Amino acid sequence: MNREEARQRIGQLTAEINLHNYNYYDLSMPTITDFEFDGLLEELIRLEKEFPEFADPASPSQRVGGGITKVFRQVRHTYPMLSLGNTYSEEEVSEFEGRIHKLLGEETEYICELKFDGVAIGLTYQDGVLVQAVTRGDGVQGDDVTTNVRTIHSIPLRLQGDDYPSHLEIRGEIILPRKSFENINRKRLEEEEEPFANPRNAASGSLKMQDSKEVARRRLDCYFYYLPGDLSFATHYECLMAAKKWGFKISKYMVKCGNIDEIFSFINTMNESRHELPFDIDGIVIKVNALEQQKELGYTTKSPRWAIAYKFKAERVITRLLSIAYQVGRTGAVTPVANLQPVLLAGTVVKRASLHNEDIIASRDIRIGDLVYVEKGGEIIPKIIGVDLDQRPASAETVVFAKNCPECGTPLLRNEGEAAHYCPNEAGCPPQIKGKLEHFISRKAMNIDSLGEGKIGILYDNKLVTNIADLYDLRADQLLGLEKVYEATENKKEKKISFREKTVENIIKGIEQSKETGFERVLYAIGIRFVGETVAKKLADHFGSIDQIMKANFEELKEAEEIGEKIAWSILEFFREPKNQEIIRRLKEKGLHFEIHNEEKNLKSEKLKGMTFVVSGTFEKFSRDEIKKEIEAHAGKNAGSISSRTTFVLAGENMGPEKAKKAASLNIPVISEVDFLLMIADKRTGGQVGQAD
Ligand code: IVH
């Protein structure tokens, strides 16, 4: 393909992908399959790489991310980002409407919109191209989050049509749909990270991430609701409709109202149906529609006089706290759970609420027998926010936190500085053992789908398996005929399981097949604390085998990418335990993969075998991730920090001064991108490459 053909094809692909994005994200009406879409995008990315002169900041390839923001630049807003006067009282909404009527002395039309519960964003478009995205900050200046915002599919990178103003500012709210929120939290829990409290916090945290590729994975969304500045429209509604035509996402839940009754009717309808929306809203915004009237009403120092936000009260009910149960998780953490008199809240019957830990129970003075207030905010699990002291029965009992594990009786421990209690009986406490087995067989670990929670329960109850290595000793004759009725955790429904011939055959086959699972997943499956999927992959890539990991000391572990002190300690502790060493020995004997195979790595060559690189700065031909992948593709290793074991520091533009100093002090050669390309292209190995300047 020559340059001209490439230019044309890039233009064509860009237009086509933009249209498909709009159809998919804004209209929810895709016209091609995901597979076809990915094909178009891949072609565009390939061409842009080959012909970088045609790279365009508005290219839809920006959606996949890759850019890193180290520090978010502070930017002053052209028009301050004001907040809205808000109220929980219907009376104050009526007063607002009365005040406006009096001030204007004429008929007024209102637009009622959703009040999106997310993070406010101000976008600037120059000649139809997104050039800047800034958070609200203190209203006067905010953070430049443009690179991250470009990954949000519903935000146009280039506007549609030709009648947009050459300079356009628009305001909206970045939100995280509840489904995406649940997925993120599920993953965080799996990786033993603190889950986000609600979608708003998750959206705000996502926007401030340094790696835009990570942001792209978060599936953020954005609705627009305001165009500051002088536009040639008569009403707010016309502004929004024009914005919609230019490609912005405008909610369909919006009404024109001529009087207060119509306003309340919309408020009530949305209050009742808000749980059916795929994202959180926390109220309704009421705005004067005519821009002329808005101008006349003006602003106070903080907010416009022409708008008000009516906020929904968090749904709260009162019910009785019947008892407290203690749940033991896979890692031994013990969580107190309130058993409540069942009560209807936000469309579901609530019977339980998390009480988090001992300190929270004490600080809220929660006693058994109390009438408690239960609330559902953005959170999935309802929480007890307080107690009705006036109605406290004389018989209410102070909570004495469990001293022993409810499952195995072992005295519970609480580490200094930590809020949680935990059961230290890792190898003998049933939920911990079963939890570890369930983790081991799970889809992302060994993926033994012929086993599941119920079947693991039977195997454990019959003393056939008490640890993950026992699975590989199972024989068909031990399993045939076993059965059990059990209560499924996901829906508390009773299920009956019986091990007939076919079931047993599948179980044995599934276990046998799992021996083919690659090292990184085996490493994740064995259940080292804090070693989630991503960390396991980094460890596997860096060390190559379990033997190397077991040999590594604290410092050596920390040299691997993304391995901090907490994870390094946890790995050391795991392998120090003789029981774990024995399990690894048995699993090895059964033939599980405990090292990376070259085919698995899909190596291009072994030119960099035995070399460890520290990558620093930015590169011309590669993004940082790409150059690291290239190192691995030639059998080299990446390390996060420079040490005496580093072979080369691969330096791009703007290498950090600290790194340069450290490399010099340890006499580690610093090589350039060109040196590196020569190393992997040539027959020579890296030995002959000199220092870069
Ligand atoms: S209009 C000058 N409309 O609520 C008025 N704001 O409490 C600009 N918000 O900072 C704001 N939904 O982040 C407007 N439909 C909506 C909104 C909305 C959510 C947020 C926005 C603002 C905050 C004010």
Side-chain angles (χ1 to χ4, degrees):
M1 188 178 282
N2 65 31
R3 276 189 82 237
E4 183 47 29
E5 283 165 348
R7 193 186 60 79
Q8 279 191 15
R9 182 66 186 145
I10 287 177
Q12 206 176 21
L13 283 166
T14 304
E16 220 173 300
I17 293 171
N18 281 341
L19 182 68
H20 291 308
N21 269 334
Y22 180 70
N23 289 342
Y24 186 94
Y25 290 100
D26 289 34
L27 304 181
S28 302
M29 274 193 304
T31 54
I32 58 169
T33 63
D34 287 0
F35 183 74
E36 287 165 323
F37 181 86
D38 291 344
L40 296 175
L41 192 61
E42 267 166 36
E43 187 184 348
L44 178 64
I45 293 173
R46 192 168 45 74
L47 283 176
E48 284 180 342
K49 211 176 240 170
E50 209 173 314
F51 298 90
E53 62 270 41
F54 302 129
D56 173 358
S59 164
S61 61
Q62 299 282 324
R63 304 287 195 205
V64 289
I68 307 276
T69 316
K70 275 264 176 247
V71 190
F72 294 96
R73 201 166 55 95
Q74 286 275 304
V75 177
R76 230 184 139 76
H77 299 296
T78 327
Y79 307 95
M81 276 176 90
L82 300 177
S83 61
L84 292 171
N86 64 54
T87 178
Y88 286 97
S89 126
E90 294 184 10
E91 211 178 315
E92 283 184 25
V93 175
S94 295
E95 281 168 19
F96 163 82
E97 194 267 347
R99 197 162 56 235
I100 301 246
H101 198 87
K102 206 163 142 203
L103 280 168
L104 294 174
E106 56 184 351
E107 282 305 304
T108 314
E109 188 174 61
Y110 297 91
I111 299 293
C112 293
E113 297 168 10
L114 303 182
K115 186 171 186 320
F116 303 96
D117 195 7
V119 185
I121 194 82
L123 305 183
T124 308
Y125 287 79
Q126 198 58 48
D127 299 317
V129 175
L130 173 68
V131 290
Q132 196 168 64
V134 184
T135 61
R136 179 169 184 274
D138 61 5
V140 177
Q141 54 179 14
D143 290 323
D144 180 341
V145 288
T146 316
T147 308
N148 288 345
V149 160
R150 285 208 172 100
T151 66
I152 303 174
H153 285 263
S154 48
I155 294 186
L157 299 176
R158 186 186 291 282
L159 301 183
Q160 295 171 15
D162 51 15
D163 60 346
Y164 45 77
S166 63
H167 180 92
L168 175 74
E169 304 226 353
I170 187 162
R171 305 262 160 95
E173 197 90 348
I174 293 180
I175 52 154
L176 186 69
R178 268 195 293 271
K179 267 249 143 46
S180 314
F181 168 72
E182 284 160 22
N183 286 337
I184 293 171
N185 267 359
R186 193 172 314 121
K187 190 143 186 244
R188 287 176 82 89
L189 284 171
E190 260 174 39
E191 311 242 312
E192 298 192 34
E193 284 177 55
E194 187 71 20
F196 287 112
N198 52 48
R200 181 186 356 96
N201 287 3
S204 157
S206 304
L207 265 192
K208 296 298 290 289
M209 289 199 297
Q210 294 193 336
D211 184 353
S212 59
K213 247 201 193 109
E214 281 297 317
V215 185
R217 289 194 195 110
R218 292 274 168 104
R219 303 277 171 228
L220 296 164
D221 201 349
C222 190
Y223 282 93
F224 292 88
Y225 47 64
Y226 181 56
L227 287 92
D230 278 327
L231 289 151
S232 57
F233 297 105
T235 63
H236 171 64
Y237 188 78
E238 282 172 35
C239 289
L240 293 186
M241 287 307 113
K244 185 169 177 178
K245 209 176 63 189
W246 298 329
F248 293 103
K249 196 165 179 175
I250 308 289
S251 169
K252 63 178 178 195
Y253 297 100
M254 178 171 47
V255 288
K256 278 187 194 165
C257 297
N259 58 49
I260 194 76
D261 292 341
E262 287 174 11
I263 293 175
F264 281 128
S265 154
F266 183 68
I267 287 179
N268 293 334
T269 311
M270 287 321 302
N271 195 9
E272 275 160 29
S273 56
R274 65 179 158 129
H275 300 293
E276 282 143 42
L277 292 171
F279 49 82
D280 283 354
I281 59 170
D282 59 344
I284 297 296
V285 182
I286 303 131
K287 299 175 180 170
V288 168
N289 192 20
L291 299 186
E292 215 29 70
Q293 291 183 333
Q294 285 190 2
K295 238 188 220 154
E296 202 177 325
L297 293 162
Y299 296 81
T300 68
T301 45
K302 278 190 285 181
S303 51
R305 285 202 190 87
W306 44 262
I308 192 167
Y310 172 81
K311 300 242 286 186
F312 297 133
K313 292 169 200 77
E315 281 180 78
R316 177 188 293 189
V317 284
I318 193 160
T319 190
R320 193 156 319 268
L321 169 59
L322 302 175
S323 62
I324 292 182
Y326 296 88
Q327 263 174 13
V328 187
R330 159 166 82 88
T331 56
V334 177
T335 317
V337 178
N339 288 321
L340 305 168
Q341 182 82 49
V343 62
L344 193 65
L345 172 65
T348 48
V349 177
V350 174
K351 294 183 204 153
R352 273 177 267 265
S354 169
L355 283 166
H356 304 284
N357 58 50
E358 184 178 25
D359 295 349
I360 291 204
I361 299 175
S363 68
R364 295 185 191 162
D365 188 20
I366 297 168
R367 301 189 193 175
I368 296 165
D370 270 341
L371 278 174
V372 290
Y373 294 105
V374 182
E375 215 173 68
K376 214 172 196 176
E379 300 80 3
I380 298 171
I381 305 163
K383 56 183 180 194
I384 293 183
I385 48 146
V387 172
D388 185 347
L389 289 175
D390 294 339
Q391 296 199 59
R392 171 165 283 170
S395 59
E397 288 168 48
T398 311
V399 179
V400 182
F401 203 90
K403 296 263 177 298
N404 295 77
C405 174
E407 302 281 347
C408 71
T410 306
L412 298 181
L413 297 179
R414 181 175 169 180
N415 285 338
E416 222 181 284
E418 282 182 21
H421 284 73
Y422 73 97
C423 165
N425 183 17
E426 231 183 289
C429 177
Q432 293 191 59
I433 299 173
K434 281 192 266 186
K436 283 191 180 73
L437 288 162
E438 282 159 20
H439 169 74
F440 185 78
I441 62 160
S442 66
R443 197 168 50 82
K444 288 179 175 166
M446 303 303 278
N447 194 20
I448 310 179
D449 61 3
S450 49
L451 282 174
E453 184 191 332
K455 293 192 183 114
I456 288 289
I458 299 188
L459 296 178
Y460 176 76
D461 292 347
N462 286 282
K463 307 214 163 33
L464 290 171
V465 285
T466 55
N467 63 52
I468 53 178
D470 291 345
L471 286 170
Y472 294 89
D473 289 334
L474 288 174
R475 296 185 322 265
D477 63 286
Q478 295 172 300
L479 306 183
L480 261 175
L482 297 177
E483 60 177 24
K484 185 184 179 181
V485 178
Y486 80 106
E487 193 183 71
T489 17
E490 79 271 13
N491 53 14
K492 303 275 159 207
K493 284 209 175 107
E494 280 199 351
K495 280 190 183 175
K496 179 172 173 177
I497 294 184
S498 34
F499 283 9
R500 291 188 230 281
E501 211 154 309
K502 190 81 200 143
T503 318
V504 172
E505 200 182 299
N506 283 339
I507 293 175
I508 300 286
K509 204 162 94 195
I511 294 175
E512 194 53 33
Q513 277 169 356
S514 76
K515 291 181 181 170
E516 293 313 313
T517 310
F519 173 47
E520 61 188 56
R521 282 178 40 195
V522 175
L523 190 55
Y524 167 63
I526 59 176
I528 306 171
R529 228 177 150 195
F530 306 126
V531 177
E533 247 184 298
T534 325
V535 171
K537 177 156 177 28
K538 300 273 177 202
L539 284 170
D541 285 347
H542 187 87
F543 290 100
S545 71
I546 198 126
D547 292 341
Q548 293 303 321
I549 299 178
M550 289 172 82
K551 257 193 237 158
N553 63 27
F554 185 63
E555 289 304 322
E556 287 162 342
L557 285 168
K558 277 201 316 177
E559 265 169 34
E561 267 187 291
E562 283 188 34
I563 313 298
E565 293 195 356
K566 187 173 83 173
I567 301 178
W569 272 125
S570 164
I571 297 169
L572 285 178
E573 256 174 42
F574 183 89
F575 289 116
R576 202 178 286 148
E577 177 61 53
K579 284 196 192 102
N580 290 335
Q581 291 171 10
E582 173 61 10
I583 286 173
I584 303 289
R585 191 195 59 72
R586 285 175 59 199
L587 291 175
K588 265 188 187 168
E589 211 174 79
K590 294 290 175 188
L592 270 70
H593 290 310
F594 279 103
E595 58 183 41
I596 288 198
H597 290 283
N598 283 352
E599 320 83 76
E600 228 173 275
K601 281 192 181 168
N602 222 344
L603 285 186
K604 290 186 185 165
S605 85
E606 295 205 349
K607 287 189 183 117
L608 308 181
K609 197 171 180 173
M611 300 182 200
T612 304
F613 288 76
V614 172
V615 172
S616 178
T618 52
F619 299 89
E620 201 152 290
K621 269 203 166 274
F622 303 92
S623 73
R624 263 238 286 259
D625 268 353
E626 283 166 352
I627 210 158
K628 283 183 183 167
K629 284 215 180 92
E630 197 64 18
I631 291 173
E632 284 163 13
H634 292 276
K637 281 182 196 166
N638 287 295
S641 56
I642 302 173
S643 76
S644 56
R645 281 173 292 272
T646 309
T647 322
F648 292 111
V649 174
L650 176 46
E653 287 275 313
N654 303 327
M655 167 174 173
E658 282 307 312
K659 281 216 168 96
K661 243 202 256 162
K662 182 103 194 251
S665 74
L666 291 172
N667 233 347
I668 311 285
V670 178
I671 61 167
S672 70
E673 185 174 3
V674 176
D675 296 330
F676 175 71
L677 287 171
L678 284 173
M679 269 164 107
I680 54 174
D682 236 2
K683 287 276 167 280
R684 296 175 300 159
T685 54
Q688 289 117 330
V689 179
Q691 303 251 147
D693 24 64

